[in-house]
Amino acid sequence: MEVRRKLLNSVEKCVDEALEGLVRSNVGLALLQGHRVVLRSDLESIKGKVALLSGGGSGHEPAHAGYIGVGMLSGAVAGAVFASPPPGSVLAAILTLWKGGASGVLLIVKNYTGDRLNFGIAVEQARLQGVQVDMVIVADDCAFTQPSKAGRRGLCGTVFIHKIAGALAEKGCPLDEIVARVNEATKNIGTLGVSLSPCSVPGCLPSFQLPPGEMELGLGIHGEPGIKRSKVASADEVVQTIISHITDSSSKSHLSLKSGDKVVLCVNNLGGLSCLEIAVVSKVAVHCLEERGVQVVRVMAGSFMTSLEMAGMSLSLMKVDEEMLRLFDAKTTAPAWPNLSTSSVSGRNMFIKPEEKLAAASDNYNEGSLSSVIRLVLESVSKILLQHQEELNALDRAAGDGDCGSTHALLANAVQEWLHTSRIPGNLGRLLADLALLVQQSMGGSSGALYCIFLSAAAPHLMQSSDGAAWAKALHAGTEAMKRYGGAEPGDRTMLDALCPAVEELMKLSTAPPDGHIAILQSAVEKADLGAESTRNLTARAGRASYIASEHLTQPDPGAVAVAAILKAILNALKA
């Protein structure tokens, strides 16, 4: 087993550099010189109010220094990674806050022996110097049904207490009242977590071993053992297990929760899960609670109290009444506190109905004199794309994911079905608009997007007229749109290498008599064939093929070959 690499300068200085980075990034924070202590930079603002101090071992960022600000903590004391801070630094922070004019200092401490002892030493020493100081212990862990004498551990629910105590202090409540109300609030908080991987202190091996495919329920934020190991389950199953355990009335650590209760939910990333996973867990947790009749009034989801890079999460629940919710919603400038809505999560309509889609042209328009010709053309295009499916896939395997023929076949099949179920509009502009929608819905991939853009941009120019000049404008508009949105140009080894020479030839439609149109189309098809063939010798500068070394690209570009085939199919149908 190897020591995990971390993006640090040194193991010895990582905590100090992290604190400096936080303070440099937030003008509302300052460092207490000579100590690993972060304080509010506006200490004069806490004169006459209770100052709040928290802290503990580092490695749980953004806890605790991220919660310093108006309406939350006044300061935080950091220890080494996963180690309680020394009493001397805690005392220095207390005295700085007291001498800065605070009416009292309240220490908010997670229930770990080292934290209780070191913060406790500082409290007693501060009292000797006449400081009005007190300490509350947060023990929100619901893991153990029969907690040991050490009691329940302090976990992410501590962040709730930072917020409630901070709002009370900001209101000017006296120290004894804040202590009483915070102690009451701690009784209504429960937390339980799950891990899919261990974490490792910088410079050390992982704190514990977890076999691949297993997860551990109920472990502590320093990697302390949990209560159960099992195979990794789905988000639905994991969340259900956690909430059932938190609320299990047979456990002495449970949070009593009944239908009709209001809760704040915290979905906490322990450090190594993706935002995607946390969002899925949030969705499941809200649904699970609502199924129990619990009203979820607020949700905070993200990283609030981490365990270095541990891949895992914890759920914290806090039962609230209206007064407690007002304290939770009170404004704060703490940099790590999320910008939450003050509206209830439960009981609202999550969805907005989309605007009605424009009806497809074929639903509203009768077939015209050109409809039979259009049918022949589309049948011819569909047939030739299906015939070329394997060839296009083979060409694409050299430069992409080998599905060019398959995506064109999806379009061909969709067109054939459309021909059997829809009326073909006689108006060519409406036809192209219909086909653009059909491509968008059926084809997918970058080819589908480009065809859709081409047809959508060309369609308006054929709404009022379909003579040669209108076709020339339409084809030019479609090609320019493909260049604009796709970012490619002729010579980049894309479908444009076949399309652009053909369209350049087709621009002659604007001045040619009608009986010369087929000859121009014939010439355009030849130009498309030559353009497609020329891509053998081009270096790809756009699309997925641009990531392939040019010496490996010896076949023509599949998109260019497909365009040439489509134009040939149109020509053959019109000749017939």
Side-chain angles (χ1 to χ4, degrees):
M1 188 186 305
E2 294 182 355
V3 173
R4 292 183 181 175
R5 294 182 180 179
K6 298 181 185 292
L7 193 60
L8 303 171
N9 292 316
S10 77
V11 171
E12 295 75 18
K13 296 180 180 179
C14 65
V15 171
D16 300 291
E17 291 186 343
L19 292 175
E20 184 177 337
L22 177 68
V23 171
R24 282 194 176 276
S25 306
N26 295 277
V27 296
L29 306 179
L31 284 166
L32 184 61
Q33 195 167 359
H35 297 276
R36 287 172 171 169
V37 174
V38 181
L39 299 169
R40 282 174 58 173
S41 58
D42 61 340
L43 289 183
E44 67 279 358
S45 299
I46 64 171
K47 285 183 179 178
K49 297 178 181 177
V50 173
L52 304 179
L53 186 65
S54 189
S58 297
H60 306 303
E61 292 75 15
H64 294 273
Y67 303 114
I68 299 172
V70 177
M72 286 193 79
L73 299 179
S74 312
V77 190
V81 175
F82 289 179
S84 183
S89 291
V90 180
L91 179 61
I94 293 172
L95 294 177
T96 301
L97 294 169
W98 175 252
K99 291 176 180 178
S103 62
V105 181
L106 175 61
L107 276 60
I108 300 170
V109 179
K110 301 187 301 297
N111 189 30
Y112 288 98
T113 302
D115 288 348
R116 292 180 68 135
L117 290 174
N118 289 348
F119 279 81
I121 290 170
V123 166
E124 295 305 321
Q125 291 176 344
R127 284 175 176 161
L128 281 174
Q129 299 188 43
V131 180
Q132 295 294 313
V133 60
D134 208 336
M135 183 167 81
V136 294
I137 304 295
V138 183
D140 55 313
D141 182 19
C142 294
F144 298 100
T145 56
Q146 296 285 340
S148 67
K149 189 172 183 179
R152 298 161 63 187
R153 297 171 293 199
L155 300 174
C156 191
T158 308
V159 178
F160 288 148
I161 297 302
H162 292 341
K163 187 67 184 64
I164 299 304
L168 290 167
E170 191 62 30
K171 284 174 59 177
C173 295
L175 179 60
D176 57 349
E177 181 184 343
I178 297 175
V179 170
R181 295 189 60 179
V182 163
N183 280 329
E184 194 62 33
T186 60
K187 299 174 185 176
N188 291 310
I189 299 173
T191 298
L192 188 66
V194 66
S195 174
L196 282 68
S197 79
C199 59
S200 60
V201 173
C204 300
L205 294 172
S207 53
F208 62 94
Q209 293 300 308
L210 194 57
E214 289 193 6
M215 62 182 188
E216 184 160 354
L217 183 71
L219 73 176
I221 54 173
H222 311 100
E224 303 95 337
I227 54 172
K228 178 184 177 184
R229 285 189 176 185
S230 61
K231 294 295 182 184
V232 174
S234 68
D236 284 343
E237 293 170 300
V238 171
V239 169
Q240 181 68 47
T241 298
I242 288 176
I243 292 178
S244 295
H245 192 92
I246 289 175
T247 58
D248 181 5
S249 59
S250 68
S251 168
K252 290 188 176 179
S253 300
H254 82 287
L255 175 67
S256 179
L257 203 60
K258 63 183 185 299
S259 178
D261 283 343
K262 295 179 179 180
V263 299
V264 173
L265 165 67
C266 177
V267 182
N268 175 50
N269 188 346
L270 287 170
L273 290 189
S274 65
C275 294
L276 179 75
E277 291 164 287
I278 291 298
V280 170
V281 170
S282 300
K283 172 254 183 189
V284 176
V286 172
H287 178 71
C288 185
L289 289 165
E290 289 178 338
E291 276 193 325
R292 294 165 175 257
V294 175
Q295 186 178 350
V296 183
V297 290
R298 303 287 185 272
V299 176
M300 43 196 291
S303 296
F304 302 104
M305 185 175 288
T306 62
S307 187
L308 293 168
E309 79 279 27
M310 184 182 288
M313 63 85 186
S314 63
L315 299 182
S316 296
L317 300 173
M318 178 173 66
K319 289 198 297 185
V320 294
D321 54 21
E322 290 305 314
E323 172 58 21
M324 194 65 70
L325 193 56
R326 276 193 291 273
L327 295 172
F328 180 85
D329 286 339
K331 295 295 184 183
T332 179
T333 61
W337 187 256
N339 183 22
L340 300 177
S341 168
T342 56
S343 298
S344 177
V345 171
S346 295
R348 73 182 187 94
N349 181 15
M350 268 183 12
F351 301 100
I352 296 174
K353 287 185 177 180
E355 292 295 322
E356 289 297 322
K357 288 189 290 189
L358 293 174
S362 54
D363 294 336
N364 295 324
Y365 307 113
N366 295 322
E367 295 197 359
S369 59
L370 295 176
S371 296
S372 59
V373 178
I374 293 168
R375 183 177 294 275
L376 286 174
V377 168
L378 294 178
E379 286 174 347
S380 177
V381 170
S382 299
K383 183 178 179 181
I384 204 165
L385 288 179
L386 292 171
Q387 288 173 349
H388 282 69
Q389 179 176 352
E390 290 308 316
E391 177 193 350
L392 294 174
N393 280 343
L395 292 173
D396 195 32
R397 276 191 285 273
D401 50 10
D403 67 346
C404 181
S406 299
T407 55
H408 281 80
L410 289 173
L411 174 61
N413 289 323
V415 168
Q416 289 180 343
E417 183 180 352
W418 182 76
L419 289 172
H420 284 102
T421 58
S422 305
R423 291 190 298 273
I424 299 174
N427 181 288
L428 292 177
R430 292 175 182 132
L431 170 71
L432 296 193
D434 265 13
L435 292 177
L437 183 60
L438 187 66
V439 170
Q440 179 183 328
Q441 293 172 340
S442 64
M443 190 172 181
S446 56
S447 295
L450 289 167
Y451 287 142
C452 181
I453 286 170
F454 179 89
L455 293 166
S456 298
H461 299 278
L462 294 170
M463 288 293 185
Q464 304 302 322
S465 173
S466 58
D467 59 15
W471 268 109
K473 290 179 182 177
L475 294 168
H476 177 73
T479 307
E480 290 302 307
M482 289 176 77
K483 292 180 188 177
R484 184 166 63 253
Y485 293 111
E489 294 285 344
D492 287 346
R493 200 181 190 276
T494 69
M495 64 169 64
L496 289 177
D497 291 303
L499 181 62
C500 288
V503 169
E504 186 177 349
E505 187 67 19
L506 291 169
M507 295 302 292
K508 297 175 182 178
L509 291 171
S510 61
T511 56
D515 59 3
H517 288 180
I518 289 295
I520 293 173
L521 179 56
Q522 174 75 56
S523 178
V525 168
E526 293 169 1
K527 294 285 182 70
D529 279 336
L530 289 172
E533 184 63 22
S534 74
T535 59
R536 287 179 185 272
N537 306 312
L538 294 176
T539 299
R541 287 192 285 267
R544 189 179 280 116
S546 63
Y547 301 108
I548 309 295
S550 57
E551 60 265 24
H552 298 302
L553 299 175
T554 59
Q555 297 296 316
D557 177 72
V561 172
V563 167
I566 290 170
L567 290 171
K568 192 174 295 183
I570 294 171
L571 173 65
N572 291 339
L574 292 178
K575 277 185 173 180

